[in-house]
Amino acid sequence: MSNIAIITARGGSKRIPHKNIRDFCGIPIIAYSIKAALESECFDEVMVSTDSDTIAEIAIKYGARVPFLRSAKTSNDFATTRDVLLEVLSEYRKLGRCFDNMVCIYPTAPFITAEKLKNALDSMEQKEASLVIPVVRFSYPPQRAYVVRDGFLEFKWEEYRNSRSQDLEPYFHDSGQFYCYNIKDYLACDGIITDKIVSIELPESEVQDIDNEQDWILAEMKYKLMRGKA
């Protein structure tokens, strides 16, 4: 099996300027994704898809390859991750290179480790999955949610009013870190996989969306805890 790691790092971050290469606990945040992929020794190719020469330079410094830059079509505010991945696979085919599996890794996911990537790829192979997604459990049961109606607070689902938390089905959400795809299945459905999806659960302490400055501070705190440096 041949595997490619694709780290998606557009240059035009709006909410946090230069987000993908900003210093995070001492090094550019994208370096954590690159290092985890390289240290896993799972990949025939570790590449960064970017439209930025600056990001490309930093990516290469930390060991990734940047064999081509993104097109204008996949660099605008409306381009999706799917658009980027399909373009990358197409460009590699033009270079005469094809792969069996790909792992799309986000550039602002410092909690990714080589071990997590290995586990995800192993899970994909063992369960013959089309897609493996790392997920995190909701810390409080969504079934016990409140809503405001006509200015007053009430249960969204009244039937769960007296349910114990431990008796409710656990709900999960995407950790927003990486995705493992079987490329044949991915291309067969044009990048929209809806079945044969397997999850691996991550602890909440190792998951953090980074959309603003407060998120960044929380992520650094969690990272230091994870690494035992706090």
Side-chain angles (χ1 to χ4, degrees), residues 116 135-137 177 201-208 222:
K116 289 173 183 174
V135 299
V136 61
R137 189 181 301 236
Q177 296 183 2
E201 186 175 353
L202 303 181
E204 188 177 4
S205 60
E206 297 178 15
V207 175
Q208 178 64 50
K222 286 186 175 183

Side-chain angles (χ1 to χ4, degrees), residues 92-161:
Y92 269 100
R93 284 196 298 273
K94 293 176 185 177
L95 296 173
R97 300 192 66 186
C98 295
F99 304 90
D100 297 303
N101 302 307
M102 67 176 168
V103 180
C104 170
I105 302 176
Y106 286 156
T108 53
F111 303 101
I112 293 175
T113 63
E115 191 64 27
K116 289 173 183 174
L117 294 173
K118 288 179 185 177
N119 289 343
L121 284 165
D122 286 345
S123 182
M124 170 173 279
E125 182 177 357
Q126 292 168 9
K127 298 184 179 181
E128 298 182 350
S130 297
L131 169 60
V132 177
I133 301 178
V135 299
V136 61
R137 189 181 301 236
F138 280 98
S139 58
Y140 188 83
Q143 300 96 318
R144 298 287 301 279
Y146 286 103
V147 293
V148 176
R149 293 188 177 126
D150 299 324
F152 294 97
L153 196 67
E154 61 183 66
F155 277 101
K156 171 66 176 176
W157 295 286
E158 183 66 29
E159 63 268 32
Y160 297 119
R161 171 185 287 273

Side-chain angles (χ1 to χ4, degrees), residues 3-180:
N3 303 320
I4 180 172
I6 302 171
I7 300 166
T8 57
R10 189 168 72 97
S13 176
K14 298 292 193 298
R15 288 173 291 189
I16 302 178
H18 311 296
K19 173 182 177 179
N20 293 329
I21 53 175
R22 178 173 168 173
D23 181 275
F24 184 95
C25 293
I27 62 175
I29 194 167
I30 192 174
Y32 294 95
S33 297
I34 296 170
K35 289 173 65 177
L38 292 171
E39 289 171 4
S40 74
E41 299 183 341
C42 292
F43 300 101
D44 301 271
E45 182 91 338
V46 176
M47 69 88 66
V48 170
S49 170
T50 186
D51 59 326
S52 164
D53 289 331
T54 301
I55 291 176
E57 182 179 339
I58 291 173
I60 292 168
K61 174 183 176 181
Y62 283 94
R65 295 193 68 242
V66 187
F68 45 81
L69 291 178
R70 281 194 202 181
S71 66
K73 181 180 179 181
T74 58
S75 300
N76 62 48
D77 291 341
F78 302 100
T80 64
T81 299
R82 169 179 165 273
D83 295 331
V84 173
L85 296 179
L86 290 172
E87 179 180 76
V88 168
L89 294 176
S90 175
E91 290 299 315
Y92 269 100
R93 284 196 298 273
K94 293 176 185 177
L95 296 173
R97 300 192 66 186
C98 295
F99 304 90
D100 297 303
N101 302 307
M102 67 176 168
V103 180
C104 170
I105 302 176
Y106 286 156
T108 53
F111 303 101
I112 293 175
T113 63
E115 191 64 27
K116 289 173 183 174
L117 294 173
K118 288 179 185 177
N119 289 343
L121 284 165
D122 286 345
S123 182
M124 170 173 279
E125 182 177 357
Q126 292 168 9
K127 298 184 179 181
E128 298 182 350
S130 297
L131 169 60
V132 177
I133 301 178
V135 299
V136 61
R137 189 181 301 236
F138 280 98
S139 58
Y140 188 83
Q143 300 96 318
R144 298 287 301 279
Y146 286 103
V147 293
V148 176
R149 293 188 177 126
D150 299 324
F152 294 97
L153 196 67
E154 61 183 66
F155 277 101
K156 171 66 176 176
W157 295 286
E158 183 66 29
E159 63 268 32
Y160 297 119
R161 171 185 287 273
N162 296 316
S163 298
R164 300 187 309 166
S165 297
Q166 60 267 38
D167 294 332
L168 296 172
E169 179 183 13
Y171 284 8
F172 302 86
H173 63 86
D174 182 355
S175 71
Q177 296 183 2
F178 66 92
Y179 309 89
C180 298

